[in-house]
Each structure stands twice: as structure tokens, then as C-alpha cells.
Amino acid sequence: MGGIDGNNHSNEPIVSTGEDNKLTVLITGCSDGGLGAALALAFHEAGFHVYATARDVAKMGELCAAAGPGIKTLPLDVQSASSIADCVARVKRLDILVNNAGTMMTMPLADVSIPQAKDIFDTNVWGVLAVTQAFLPLLLESARRQSGGGIIAVNTSVASVVAAPFLGVYSASKAATAMFCDTLRLELAVFGLHVVELKTGAVGPTKLIANNTSLLLAAPTTHGGGGVPVAGSGSSSAPPIILPEKSIYAPAREVVEDLLRRGYDGAWMPPTQWAKQVVQDLMQKKNAAAPPSRIWRGQSALLGWAVQFLPSFLTTGPVKRQTKYTQVEEVLRIARIYPGNDVE
């Protein structure tokens, strides 16, 4: 299956056009309205040859219309070995790989479906490793050319270092991926490869909920970002039941399900702004040799950085207030379920 770039629908490798000294980047998770699409446009505007990928190339129509033939689109399902192999076969040269595709699920850990949680890890953790391994030969060749390439970027999240209610599975998967980044950085440095982790804060709003109604059912939801959950309006009809019938949070069902649907309710950094900053950071040489190991961009990203060094008793309260979890606690206290302060 070929991309929808308008001029190449064969199964032959796509050969870069234009100046030979242009760097080539491939980005996963580029469905319209997501962070991957914003990155593709930012790299394109910076003069890169861009491969934008997604499970369904039809969902990159807006991206193609905005960029024209300057961006090549290819199908890529990070959970499918055959899809990954087909994509690799289409790419002749690669200087920068951006692992951006990810999945998200909001649900109390006490009620999480283990099979769904494993699916989150299959994409956010094993999918990243599988794609990285598959494109490694091309990236090694880029590093040998010493052309400024040989970069592996992985979009994780501030959620990898900040624990937030109802994001346990997502945060744990991003934390695991962050450790993969740290280890890969150690193992691949001798080959001239640079591994960069994108510690993304609140970026959006994007089309996450509008394009993936399965989030309302707490099912794994593919998205193109590594930040916090995206706020959305959901369905105009009565919302479906999200919490299991016998959930320990049942007394606060209305409040909890509203929080699960709305996700993060704070300030956002526009995706275009975030993407331009990330591209600039990736190409900024550190000590004239390498990009930074971690890039903290997005709303409240620096606060996420600071939280790493603060004791938990200083951060728990602000996190609960920011995520509106204090509302859940208050309802449970009134119902005398939560073992906090009694309410008369």
C-alpha cells in the first residue's frame, strides 16, 4: 500500500528529491489534528524531507493539503511487524526518527482492564522499541555520514515523572519508555547515535477525543502525542457508563466519569508552537556535537521537571487540585467511603 503523496503509489523505495544535503525525518502517529502532524509541518517548514506515518493514511488528508507534495505519507502500525517492515522498505535514507505514536487510557487503577492495559504498553513501549530496531540500520548509516543526523527522538510525557489520578497505566508506560531512552542513549552513543526524550507537557487541544470516541468507553485510544489527556466535549447525548458497576468509586460516579471524559482542564500550548520549539531544540547542537538528551516543552513542562526534585508531600496537593481529584475525595468523604476527615 502506497502513501497518499499524490505522486508515488508503488511499493518501490521513495527516493528523496531536492537538495541531497537535506536531512530526512520519519514521524509516527501523524493523524490530522495531533502532535505528529504538527511536527511533520514544522520539520517541513525547517527544510527537511519528511515521512509522515499513521495506521490509516486517510487520516492525514489535512496534513497533505497543508504541505502539498513536500511531505510523503506512509502507513505504519507500530504494533504490526509486517507494517513496520513494509514501511522500512519504502524509506531509502533516514537521519531522524521521531517515535510519536502512542495510546492513552484514563481509568482508576482499581478498575483497569488488564488486557487493555497490555495494549497500551504494546504501543507505547514495545511499539517504540520495534520501530527503533527496524530503522536502526538507516540511522547508523546517517551517523556514519556525520551529516547532523543519527537522532532517535521519543515523545514521552511529563506524566512519566508526575503521578496523576486515573492516568496510572499511561504514566507507567511512558515511564518505561523513558527508561528505554536512557538505556538506548548509553548503548548507542558509541555508534554516534543520539537519543532524545521529549518530555511533553500540556499541548493542545487536539482531536484526540473527537476522533476516538472509544476513549469514552475507557478503551485504548491511539493519539499523536505524549502529553497529558486532551480536553473534549464528548457526545451530546447521555454519556455511556465508564466505571464498572461495582467500582469502589461508584459513590462518586458522576464526578469521576466527568473527569475521565474531560481529561486535563488547564492551560495549553498550541501544537504548532510546541512543534517548532521541538524542531529547533533537536537541531540545536550541544557542545557542537549532540542535541539535548531531554527536551521539556509544552505547558507546565518545566513544573514537571521541578517535581522530580521535590518531596511528595509538596506535590501531592497541587496535583490533586490541578486534576480536580479533590472533588472526587470530597464526594467520597460525604459518602463516608474515603477514610479522610469526617463530614457532618
Side-chain angles (χ1 to χ4, degrees), residues 1 28 77 84 134 181 185 226 242 295:
M1 182 177 181
T28 66
D77 181 350
I84 294 173
C181 289
R185 190 177 301 114
I242 298 177
I295 293 175

Side-chain angles (χ1 to χ4, degrees), residues 28 145 149 210 220 265 334:
T28 66
R145 288 194 300 268
D265 214 11
I334 293 174

Side-chain angles (χ1 to χ4, degrees), residues 37-323:
L39 279 175
L41 287 173
F43 274 110
H44 172 61
E45 291 172 359
F48 285 75
H49 294 301
V50 179
Y51 294 110
T53 72
R55 286 189 301 181
D56 183 358
V57 293
K59 291 186 177 181
M60 294 186 283
E62 294 178 13
L63 173 61
C64 292
I71 292 181
K72 307 295 183 181
T73 59
L74 296 172
L76 176 58
D77 181 350
V78 302
Q79 287 198 34
S80 168
S82 61
S83 177
I84 294 173
D86 289 343
C87 188
V88 172
R90 300 289 311 282
V91 179
K92 186 177 182 63
R93 167 180 170 170
L94 185 62
D95 300 298
I96 301 175
L97 170 66
V98 182
N99 287 291
N100 170 74
T103 58
M104 180 183 294
M105 178 173 62
T106 54
M107 177 62 61
L109 284 176
D111 299 314
V112 159
S113 160
I114 298 302
Q116 289 180 355
K118 289 181 177 180
D119 192 69
I120 297 291
F121 272 72
D122 282 343
T123 295
N124 293 359
V125 182
W126 304 119
V128 169
L129 186 57
V131 170
T132 299
Q133 288 179 341
F135 283 102
L136 193 57
L138 290 175
L139 294 166
L140 288 169
E141 179 60 32
S142 174
R144 284 192 288 268
R145 288 194 300 268
Q146 297 182 343
S147 60
I151 297 175
I152 301 169
V154 182
N155 198 1
T156 64
S157 172
V158 294
S160 65
V161 295
V162 180
F166 309 147
L167 279 178
V169 172
Y170 174 77
S171 297
S173 72
K174 291 298 185 179
T177 306
M179 180 54 70
F180 271 9
C181 289
D182 289 343
T183 306
L184 282 169
R185 190 177 301 114
L186 289 172
E187 296 177 348
L188 298 179
V190 67
F191 299 101
L193 291 176
H194 308 292
V195 179
V196 181
E197 183 188 355
L198 310 182
K199 292 283 195 183
T200 301
V203 181
T206 70
K207 294 183 178 181
L208 173 60
I209 290 183
N211 291 339
N212 298 278
T213 56
S214 59
L215 181 62
L216 298 179
L217 301 174
T221 305
T222 301
H223 70 103
V228 295
V230 178
S233 59
S235 172
S236 58
S237 60
I241 294 175
I242 298 177
L243 287 175
E245 182 180 351
K246 296 183 179 180
S247 171
I248 59 175
Y249 294 92
R253 179 181 299 280
E254 182 177 351
V255 176
V256 171
E257 292 182 353
D258 181 56
L259 293 178
L260 294 180
R261 286 189 296 271
R262 287 192 292 113
Y264 182 75
D265 214 11
W268 302 90
M269 174 180 285
T272 54
Q273 179 183 349
W274 169 83
K276 289 180 179 179
Q277 291 179 354
V278 168
V279 172
Q280 291 172 356
D281 291 339
L282 282 173
M283 299 317 299
Q284 183 180 37
K285 295 299 183 182
K286 185 178 182 181
N287 298 325
S293 299
R294 297 175 186 85
I295 293 175
W296 297 81
R297 293 293 186 181
Q299 191 71 26
S300 302
L302 290 181
L303 289 178
W305 173 82
V307 164
Q308 300 176 97
F309 309 102
L310 297 174
S312 59
F313 73 87
L314 290 179
T315 62
T316 299
V319 168
K320 286 183 177 182
R321 289 189 292 272
Q322 182 67 56
T323 59

